Structures are given as structure tokens and as C-alpha cells.
Amino acid sequence: MNGSRLRSTSAAALASAALLAALLSGIGQRPAPPPPSGSAARLPACADSTGSAACSTYGPAARLGGGTVRAYSEYQGGIPRTLGVSLTASAVTGLPTTPTDGKHCYDADADGHLDDTHECVGGHSRELSLPAAPAASAGLPFQWVLFNWNPHGHNPHGRYDVAHFDVHFYLVPREVRTGIKTGGCALLIACDQVATAGRPVPAAYLPAGYPASSPQTAEGAMGAHLDSRPPSTGTLSGQTFIYGAYAGGLIFMEPMLTRDFLQRHRTAAAHRTCEAVPQPAAWRTPGWYPTRYCTAYRPDEGDYTVSLTDFVHSAGAHGLATAGR
């Protein structure tokens, strides 16, 4: 055999071996896991997804600043993975600077004039409908989202008077929130509703570290705000997690975050920050509940997200009663 033929045969053998090695290395390999919410990758729409593939679905958009905000959700194999809001980058840079949109105000000093700094609550708000859940998917207990932009913050002063967003994921219908009227008590709530707003949440349904009631933070068109942050922590500088309560029950879950904190994720290496959602011993209503909340920037989407993630299933009050037997 001459030298050129030997080299040709050796090259063919090496190529065959490389091909065989590549084929063998692929056998038994698991597919790459889906990227976490807040990553750059775009998930397929749930309507186009089949089997166990991760997918996303979006609700109707609302105008905000120079862009839009809308609710979105992600599922995998019919199980909820993420529920959040998406803000286009232009929405964050073109935000209104006036204290309020004037939707929820009360002339507390009865002088015939509304002071939009001290006699209005809610900042600039958007009511967001949740996206339709995929067919045969597991149910979420959340019913809608109230998104608030507060350019000058709000009471209690010394804690929240910094430009920030409130993202309320409501566990009750909109009618419950509509029934909480504005008035001259606490944070502009109707005085005859303060006692109802401040009714204590039973310990079994309240995360450790949160007060059972907080009449002084009962707000018109909102409810009482239960915060685990002690006053000594000072003004909000990043993100925190608040529970909303009314009539002795939790009515919303609220990530609160400063505008600066949100915008920093655009240039941060990871583009994402997550923290644990404090959990009660049980939830009254069965369903899937989040164990983490995240703030992120998605480069390929060109948007910011504030989301609830890592859902686990709860049997509700029945499960608590069963465990106690």
C-alpha cells in the first residue's frame, strides 16, 4: 500500500470514528432545561406548544409612559411556572412625573380643593387582565393585577417616599377592591372601613414576621398593607414583599421595588434578582402559589419583568385541617 492511499484510509477511519463518537455521545442525553424567566430566550406561545415544552402567554397591553405594560404567564406541562408583568423599556423612561392620575382622591381637610400629593392614593395605576390559561393547565388562584407607578412614593414617609412600582397580584375579584372606598382615615380609607381592613389575619394563614393587622396602613381602593420590614430599615432602596389584607384575609401579594432597582438590571451581568416569598403555614384556597419573586431585564425581548415564580401546590385550608389531625 503506498503512502497516499494509507493517509486516505486513515483519514476516513478517523472521520468515521468521530461521527460514531458524536452519535454515541448524543444517546441518552437529556434535552437542555428551559431557560428561567428573565433570561434572554423567547418561549413559544402556549397556543403553539405541545407536550411538556415550556410556553408563555400574554394579556392585553396598557399604555404606560412611552411604552406598555401587560401581564404574562409561563407554563410547562400545564403547570404554572411564572406569573408577572412585562414593561417595555420605553415605558420605564417615559413615566409621568405628577404625583397621581387622580382616580382615587378624597378632600380630607374639606377645603374644597384636592391636594394631589396628600389627598390622593395609588399614584398612576393600571388594571391588568391576566392572560388566558392554556387548555388543561393547572389553575392559579390569582385573578388580576394592579400595577402602580409612584413617582414621589407614598406614606408611610421615611419608608416608601421614593420613586417606585407596586405590583399587586390580587387573589380576590376586582369588586372587592372597588368596594374599599376612599375617606379621611389612615391612608385615605373610608373611616367606617378601617376596622374591617384591620381585622387580624389568622396566624395559620400569615407568614412569619408579618403583622396580623395594620390599620394605619389601610389604604382606600387597596386594603391594609402588611410589611415584614421593621421601620428601622429606613427608606426602600431595592425590593421588598408586601401582603395585602382585608376583612381578616390576604387579598394580594405585592412585590414593591424602586425604579432605580428595576433599571439596574439592564446593565447587570445576570439581568435578574430573585428573593424568597415568605410562606404561611397554609393557604385558605387550594391552588399553585409562588415561592420566589424576581425582577429582571430580558435583552432579547427588550423588556423588564416583575414576576412570581417557582410555584408549589397547596391543598388549602382542608390540607391544614388534615395535617393537624
Side-chain angles (χ1 to χ4, degrees), residues 52-319:
S52 60
C55 64
S56 62
T57 180
Y58 288 79
R63 296 296 304 178
L64 180 70
T68 60
V69 58
R70 56 181 175 168
Y72 77 100
S73 57
E74 296 175 357
Y75 288 81
Q76 185 163 18
I79 303 300
R81 200 176 76 164
T82 301
L83 175 64
V85 296
S86 161
L87 299 85
T88 58
S90 54
V92 176
T93 58
L95 291 164
T97 58
T98 54
T100 177
D101 54 21
K103 292 178 182 177
H104 301 288
C105 302
Y106 185 81
D107 186 8
D109 57 12
D111 67 350
H113 170 73
L114 288 175
D115 179 345
D116 60 6
T117 300
H118 301 105
E119 296 182 323
C120 296
V121 291
H124 296 264
S125 64
R126 302 291 186 271
E127 293 188 1
L128 305 177
S129 297
L130 298 186
S137 64
L140 285 171
F142 300 95
Q143 302 196 29
W144 61 289
V145 179
L146 177 64
F147 181 91
N148 298 82
W149 157 240
N150 303 278
H152 305 288
H154 55 68
N155 285 328
H157 290 300
R159 302 192 73 190
Y160 305 127
D161 46 357
V162 61
H164 71 270
F165 301 101
D166 298 326
V167 189
H168 307 82
F169 294 90
Y170 268 88
L171 296 159
V172 294
R174 300 188 195 206
E175 291 74 22
V176 174
R177 182 248 183 162
T178 303
I180 304 174
K181 305 299 183 181
T182 55
C185 289
L187 300 184
L188 294 184
I189 191 173
C191 293
D192 61 358
Q193 292 183 304
V194 172
T196 303
R199 189 180 302 166
V201 177
Y205 307 117
L206 186 70
Y210 284 81
S213 66
S214 185
Q216 71 274 16
T217 64
E219 184 174 332
M222 196 80 68
H225 293 69
L226 310 181
D227 187 4
S228 64
R229 296 171 68 245
S232 59
T233 56
T235 305
L236 179 70
S237 60
Q239 65 181 1
T240 189
F241 199 85
I242 292 174
Y243 277 97
Y246 192 77
L250 298 180
I251 63 171
F252 62 75
M253 302 171 73
E254 177 196 347
M256 175 189 285
L257 60 150
T258 68
R259 177 178 59 181
D260 290 343
F261 177 76
L262 178 73
Q263 290 180 305
R264 285 201 299 269
H265 288 81
R266 188 166 186 170
T267 54
H271 297 300
R272 191 171 189 243
T273 301
C274 296
E275 295 186 35
V277 171
Q279 301 289 303
W283 298 93
R284 274 183 167 145
T285 304
W288 291 85
Y289 291 88
T291 59
R292 290 202 307 166
Y293 68 105
C294 300
T295 300
Y297 177 73
R298 303 189 294 189
D300 283 7
E301 301 278 1
D303 69 351
Y304 297 92
T305 63
V306 181
S307 62
L308 306 177
T309 70
D310 295 8
F311 285 80
V312 297
H313 191 267
S314 169
H318 173 73

